[in-house]
Each structure stands twice: as C-alpha cells, then as structure tokens.
Amino acid sequence: MKEEISDIFPQLEKWVSGYFRDLENFPVKSQAGIREIYNRLPDTPPVKGESFDDIFKDFEEIIMPGITHWQSPKFFAYFPANSSLPSFAAEVLTSAMGAQCMKWETSPAAAELEEKVLDWLKEMTGIPKNFHGVIQDSASSSTLASLLTAREVFSEFSINRNGFSGREKFRVYCSTEAHSSVEKAVKITGIGRENLVKVPVNEDFSININKLEESIQTDIKNGFTPLCVVAALGTTGSAAIDSLEGISALKKKYGFWIHVDAAFLGTAFLLPEYRKYLKGIEFADTFVFNPHKWMFTNFDCSAYFVRDKNSLLNTFEIIPEYLKTRSDSAVNNYCDWGIPLGRRFRALKLWFVIRWFGVEGLKEKVRHHIGLAKKFHDLVSAEKDFEILAPLSANVVCFRFKPEGKKEDELNSLNESLLSSVNATGKMYISHTKLNGKYTLRMVIAQTDVEERHVLEAWELIRNFSKS
Ligand SMILES: *Cc1c(COP(=O)(O)O)cnc(C)c1O
C-alpha cells in the first residue's frame, strides 16, 4: 500500500522546519568528495516501488551530505540564490498544482499574475512604464533572447527566415568584466565569438566609454555594424557599474541596441539612492535582473523587460495548429516571449514575496545588507595586512590578504589557500575572482537572513587563518 499525503506531509513538515532551525549549524559548503555520492547510489533502478520512508532515509543519509547550503546566513560565495518563507510556500503550492503555464488558456491566472507582478517590479525599480516584462528562467536566457531579437531587428528578420547570408558583419560590445553569458549568447546566436569586443575597463572596473567609442568607430570603418552594447549594472566580479548614461549617449550617434544586465545588482534599484545609475534607461532596449539572486525569490525567477514587445514576439512566436487558441490576439502567451514552450508558474512566488515583505520591507533588507558590507569593508581596510581591491558599490567586498614583503604570485597562492582553508571549516563560504590578475577574495553579503554576527564571525575566521 502506497502512502497518502497524510502519511508524508507531517514528515516533510518536521524535516523542513528542522532544516530552517538548524541551517546555521550545517557545514555551508558541502565537504563531499568527488564521486562520493554517485558511488553510494545503486547501479540499477528499483524494479518495485519503495516505501517513502526508505526513500526519505536515503535522501537524508546520501543526498544531504552532498548539498551546499545556499540558504545559510554564512553563505557569502558567488551571488546568493536566495529563498524565503513566502517563496518556499508558493513553490509548495506551485508544485502541488503542477500547472504548465505556456499559454494564457493553459492557466489564465499565471499569465495575468505574471503581467501584474512585473508591472509592480517596474514601478518598484524605476524601469520605465512603456517596457513589458516577462519571467525567464535565467539572466543567461534573457541575454540570449535580447541578442536574438537585436539580430532579427537589425537584419529585418531575414536571419530567422533565411539563415545568415554571409554578408552580415555584426559586432557586440561589453566590458572585460561582463558576465560569461554574453559570450555564450554571441556563440549561440551565430554572431560568433570573434565578433564580441571586450572593451577595457576604468580603475573602478566599469566599461571605459572612450575605448568603447574608439572600438565602434574602428569597426564601422572596417565595414562592421555595431549591433549591441551590453551594459553591466553590477559586474559579477566586483559589482562594478557601467555608465548607462554614457552608453546611451553613444547610442544616439551609432544607433546600436542596448541590453542592460543587472542580474544581481538590479535589486538595489529598489532604493532611490541607486536610481542615478539608471540614467539613460529610456534608451535601453532590454533589461534583466534576477529576483532569484537578491530578492528572496528562490531560483528560478529572472525578470526580463523589453521596450518593443513586437520585436520580441516577431523573433520568437511560432503558432502551430495544436497551439492555436481563440484568445490569442487579446492576451499574453508567454511561450512566445522566449525559448522554451513549457513554463512553470513562477509569478506566484514573486507575488507572495512582494506581498509578504512589502516594498518597504524589501528595501529595509537590501539596505541592511549594504550596511553590513560597508562594515565589513571598513574592518578589512583598517587591517594593515589586508587590501581592498575594488571600490564598494553595494555589497560585494573584494579584498585580499597582503602581508608585507610578498611578491604578486606568492600573494595569489597565499590567498588561494586562505580561501580553501576557510571554506574547509564549513563555518562560512566565500568565493573568488581575478581583478587585474590578482587573486581576489569576494565577500557577498546578501543572504536573506544574514545578520551582523555572521559577518563579524566570518571576518574573525579569515583573520585567524591569515595569521596561522
Ligand atoms: C549571475 C549573473 C548572470 C547569470 O545569471 P543566470 O540567471 O544564472 O543565468 C549574468 N550576468 C550577471 C552580471 C550575473 O551576475
């Protein structure tokens, strides 16, 4: 006899509440070795169904040791993939319903809620009212959608129709600090990696506008068409902010497409003090930010905004007979707004999150994180054997251990081993990047429940290891 929901749910509830309660005590970064989990799993699937108790026991014993705890307040690595109680609750409901929300008719509430919460997001972050929003699975997919649309607009939709003629000579520009998803997108769109120009950055790691203009001019002279500039509002390495205003000014001269990648830092636009970085946004064609990073809405939920909805639809829309519905012209069928046909009901968790925290509550959390980062930054600056490696734009602190008398390559390996010793304790998790060739420790203070004590403990741990 198979268990019923009433047998399973109490067990899940007990486990989940225990997980949230004890989260801080788990080793943040999984300490599992290579193939340790794989080798503990049977080579063949069960022929007969197993009891839920047996499955659950293996989940706890085999799977859990191989999990890194992204919801731990001691998680300071990469960018967070934040969840929160309302987001979790919505995901439980979403998976219970298991609705496939590809078209309006396949669940009208999903389509209409998506339109409404993305309208809310525009108002919350200062994205112009004439943009249209859609939820994508990731910023990478959004950037790909943007470049595909740019390609079609600039080729008058002929590449969708006939493929490349061989005469197109498109160039795409981003800074050397832009995310790798831009390079991935130029490969996939057929524009070609050789046609991605990585423009040098200023001292603060934002794109150098003069160098950008020089590249554009040289390319035009050589018969290229400047297709798109990707502006990073918050680079992945150090959260550096490109001048959207500067890029927009160039657009007026050269007429390229602008895609804004604010995957992580976009959440900061909730705060009026960050809105100045959106100057020029009315000239952008597309904009992406990830509520699944810093806005407490668990992965996946990427908010993608486009100024010209028709170009997007003309790029992606395909309506075979079996998908035709009577309401098609009057509603948003979001399967035509991106790559996959099938779509999860992702707007529900965003709606729950915004209502649960309220706009004020969200702002408070974000300000709190930025304040903690300032504190950490000041502690590091005050320590003579440490060095700050990038200006603090929000809540990503880039720094390194720099004891006197060490050469650059020694410093790199010293910091690499500092990072791995600290992470091996399981008491915190940070990651790294390279800035100007320097191995850089990167402390991101953005986890939903992070408090001052977690940050102070992390700093103590780093300092102690640096001395040992
Ligand atoms: C994280 C990040 C991305 C990629 O986000 P995904 O949603 O994982 O695809 C792109 N750009 C920037 C600036 C990022 O920080």
Side-chain angles (χ1 to χ4, degrees):
M1 261 270 289
K2 278 290 171 201
E3 297 89 342
E4 310 262 335
I5 179 104
S6 56
D7 305 313
I8 289 175
F9 231 65
Q11 200 174 340
L12 288 184
E13 193 210 322
K14 187 159 160 265
W15 187 89
V16 173
S17 44
Y19 183 69
F20 286 152
R21 191 187 55 234
D22 300 331
L23 197 46
E24 270 190 45
N25 306 324
F26 291 104
V28 192
K29 182 176 192 281
S30 166
Q31 310 284 317
I34 294 165
R35 286 191 102 63
E36 192 180 314
I37 311 292
Y38 183 88
N39 290 335
R40 289 191 64 190
L41 297 165
D43 291 332
T44 50
V47 176
K48 293 217 166 76
E50 299 181 77
S51 76
F52 187 77
D53 280 349
D54 285 347
I55 302 170
F56 204 72
K57 187 165 148 288
D58 284 348
F59 161 70
E60 290 193 284
E61 288 177 8
I62 304 176
I63 302 303
M64 281 311 284
I67 293 295
T68 288
H69 301 285
W70 286 68
Q71 304 315 316
S72 166
K74 300 171 176 179
F75 184 97
F76 302 105
Y78 305 104
F79 281 138
N82 281 333
S83 189
S84 61
L85 202 51
S87 181
F88 159 74
E91 282 285 43
V92 173
L93 302 175
T94 305
S95 62
M97 294 181 287
Q100 175 46 282
C101 307
M102 49 197 180
K103 302 202 70 167
W104 180 86
E105 293 219 358
T106 65
S107 273
E112 294 186 9
L113 184 64
E114 183 159 337
E115 185 174 349
K116 186 62 83 176
V117 286
L118 288 180
D119 283 345
W120 285 6
L121 274 191
K122 285 192 284 186
E123 187 188 313
M124 288 162 66
T125 57
I127 296 164
K129 278 207 167 59
N130 62 336
F131 279 58
H132 302 269
V134 53
I135 299 177
Q136 305 280 4
D137 57 4
S138 63
S140 304
S141 295
S142 304
T143 297
L144 177 59
S146 175
L147 279 178
L148 284 168
T149 311
R151 186 193 79 183
E152 287 313 303
V153 169
F154 277 64
S155 71
E156 291 166 340
F157 297 88
S158 72
I159 298 175
N160 264 3
R161 209 167 37 241
N162 305 317
F164 281 92
S165 69
R167 287 187 305 275
E168 299 84 1
K169 289 183 80 181
F170 292 136
R171 285 280 213 228
V172 174
Y173 307 82
C174 65
S175 87
T176 51
E177 291 292 316
H179 191 262
S180 55
S181 54
V182 179
E183 187 162 333
K184 206 183 226 180
V186 293
K187 292 204 296 183
I188 300 171
T189 50
I191 294 164
R193 201 165 54 196
E194 293 294 315
N195 292 313
L196 176 63
V197 181
K198 292 189 181 171
V199 179
V201 290
N202 302 311
E203 251 177 41
D204 66 357
F205 302 103
S206 66
I207 194 166
N208 184 313
I209 298 286
N210 292 334
K211 293 257 163 64
L212 171 62
E213 182 162 24
E214 281 168 25
S215 298
I216 291 173
Q217 287 173 341
T218 311
D219 285 345
I220 291 174
K221 244 181 252 154
N222 292 327
F224 287 99
T225 306
L227 177 70
C228 172
V229 176
V230 180
L233 299 192
T235 59
T236 309
S238 69
I241 303 172
D242 289 347
S243 167
L244 184 56
E245 198 181 8
I247 294 170
S248 301
L250 293 185
K251 176 183 178 134
K252 282 178 232 162
K253 281 200 224 168
Y254 303 104
F256 47 75
W257 182 270
I258 297 179
H259 173 55
V260 179
D261 177 5
F264 171 71
L265 206 72
T267 302
F269 298 128
L270 290 170
L271 306 178
E273 57 269 34
Y274 278 83
R275 293 282 174 88
K276 58 180 186 238
Y277 299 113
L278 284 179
K279 235 183 188 164
I281 183 73
E282 62 277 19
F283 297 102
D285 294 280
T286 55
F287 178 101
V288 63
F289 95 98
N290 284 344
H292 72 224
K293 277 180 169 164
W294 192 18
M295 221 181 85
F296 323 113
T297 308
N298 67 279
F299 191 84
D300 52 342
C301 183
S302 181
Y304 179 54
F305 297 91
V306 303
R307 190 150 49 84
D308 177 10
K309 178 170 105 177
N310 289 331
S311 309
L312 176 75
L313 291 176
N314 286 339
T315 303
F316 286 103
E317 192 176 58
I318 280 184
I319 312 181
E321 191 53 41
Y322 50 83
L323 288 178
K324 281 187 185 142
T325 54
R326 296 176 71 180
S327 55
D328 278 351
S329 59
V331 298
N332 287 341
N333 290 314
Y334 287 115
C335 61
D336 298 327
W337 293 54
I339 295 155
L341 169 65
R343 310 181 85 244
R344 299 184 340 104
F345 185 7
R346 288 173 294 215
L348 192 70
K349 57 189 171 185
L350 195 50
W351 189 51
F352 273 36
V353 166
I354 297 170
R355 294 186 62 186
W356 163 280
F357 287 100
V359 177
E360 277 308 319
L362 291 170
K363 284 162 128 171
E364 247 170 63
K365 255 205 181 307
V366 169
R367 272 211 186 93
H368 180 56
H369 292 164
I370 294 171
L372 290 178
K374 176 79 173 72
K375 180 152 218 156
F376 185 85
H377 172 274
D378 292 349
L379 287 168
V380 175
S381 310
E383 191 79 16
K384 81 172 185 2
D385 285 345
F386 280 81
E387 178 187 30
I388 294 287
L389 291 175
L392 182 65
S393 66
N395 53 347
V396 179
V397 185
C398 291
F399 67 106
R400 68 172 173 174
F401 177 41
K402 192 184 182 234
E404 253 176 66
K406 297 265 190 235
K407 293 204 223 47
E408 276 302 315
D409 52 342
E410 285 177 306
L411 286 175
N412 283 354
S413 55
L414 196 62
N415 279 280
E416 194 178 345
S417 39
L418 178 60
L419 178 104
S420 87
S421 322
V422 165
N423 287 342
T425 64
K427 290 184 179 159
M428 66 178 290
Y429 185 16
I430 50 172
S431 57
H432 82 283
T433 188
K434 277 219 166 136
L435 294 174
N436 291 329
K438 295 171 186 166
Y439 192 96
T440 303
L441 306 177
R442 206 175 145 277
M443 177 91 175
V444 180
I445 301 173
Q447 212 287 320
T448 312
D449 297 314
V450 64
E451 290 168 27
E452 181 166 315
R453 66 188 166 89
H454 303 115
V455 175
L456 297 179
E457 281 166 23
W459 172 232
E460 271 317 297
L461 196 68
I462 295 167
R463 267 183 70 211
N464 288 340
F465 268 99
S466 75
K467 287 179 180 146
S468 63

